[in-house]
Amino acid sequence: LGDRRCSLRLYLVGVIGCRGLGSPAVPMLVRAGVRRFVLVDPECLAASNLERMHGSKWSDIDSEPPKIEILQRLILEIEPHAEVITIRGNVLDETVLDELLRCDLVLGCTDTQHSRAALGDFANHYLLPCLDAAVLMRAKNGKLLEQVGEIARYSADEPCPWCLGRINQ
């Protein structure tokens, strides 16, 4: 692991969506050795997010900080020397694209059609490797029956999200 940890320190990882999928993924990446991040999310914390927003605190409910700031705080608590760029915006914003094109890898954690399409475009048009995480939950009468996770990889030499049937019109 020693050699891999050193090389991971050099990677710049973009994370689109700092909520229920992104907020647990990022601390694991930090602990694995990643030290450079671009965090993208448009939302602020709400009381209903507290149980699934890793790094959030009860005291955050009063100030409702942007989710990117909560995740940045968590990263810096784990690794004070980490470099974190935060963008409060959407994956379709031009400034987001400019920052993500500097990344070595983009992790999509929004589970939305438009971000999944954007990840496919990033991989095919800009040769930017992307991982797309998704979670499907099925419930009945207020009881969780099933939870399924899926990760897809997009790159220039692999099928796009449209071809894989991960998005549709």
Side-chain angles (χ1 to χ4, degrees):
L1 182 64
D3 291 336
R4 279 186 268 152
R5 285 186 77 111
C6 287
S7 64
L8 285 176
R9 291 179 191 276
L10 304 176
Y11 277 66
L12 178 59
V13 176
V15 180
I16 302 167
C18 297
R19 306 168 216 163
L21 289 171
S23 71
V26 168
M28 286 189 269
L29 290 170
V30 175
R31 288 183 173 99
V34 177
R35 297 292 181 261
R36 300 171 60 226
F37 293 91
V38 174
L39 305 177
V40 179
D41 196 296
E43 295 182 0
C44 289
L45 182 72
S48 63
N49 306 139
L50 199 60
E51 83 284 352
R52 66 184 176 278
M53 181 69 205
H54 290 239
S56 63
K57 301 175 182 182
W58 283 107
S59 59
D60 291 330
I61 296 300
D62 294 331
S63 60
E64 297 181 344
K67 292 177 181 179
I68 53 174
E69 290 180 8
I70 293 171
L71 202 48
Q72 178 183 34
R73 178 180 68 204
L74 180 57
I75 291 169
L76 295 174
E77 285 173 357
I78 298 168
E79 176 48 65
H81 301 293
E83 299 172 30
V84 185
I85 296 167
T86 59
I87 303 173
R88 189 166 172 207
N90 187 292
V91 68
L92 302 177
D93 297 342
E94 263 185 58
T95 53
V96 171
L97 176 61
D98 290 343
E99 281 300 322
L100 292 178
L101 288 178
R102 297 178 339 108
C103 294
D104 298 294
L105 173 72
V106 173
L107 180 60
C109 297
T110 65
D111 204 13
T112 65
Q113 299 263 0
H114 77 272
S115 87
R116 193 161 284 134
L119 291 174
D121 286 346
F122 297 164
N124 286 306
H125 297 289
Y126 302 105
L127 308 179
L128 179 60
C130 298
L131 294 174
D132 180 30
V135 175
L136 173 66
M137 291 186 252
R138 290 193 180 98
K140 186 174 183 180
N141 299 325
K143 183 177 178 181
L144 183 64
L145 301 174
E146 180 180 31
Q147 187 170 349
V148 179
E150 179 182 53
I151 296 178
R153 180 179 63 199
Y154 307 130
S155 66
D157 58 345
E158 295 177 315
C160 73
W162 294 94
C163 299
L164 292 171
R166 292 184 49 81
I167 52 178
N168 59 49
Q169 294 184 9

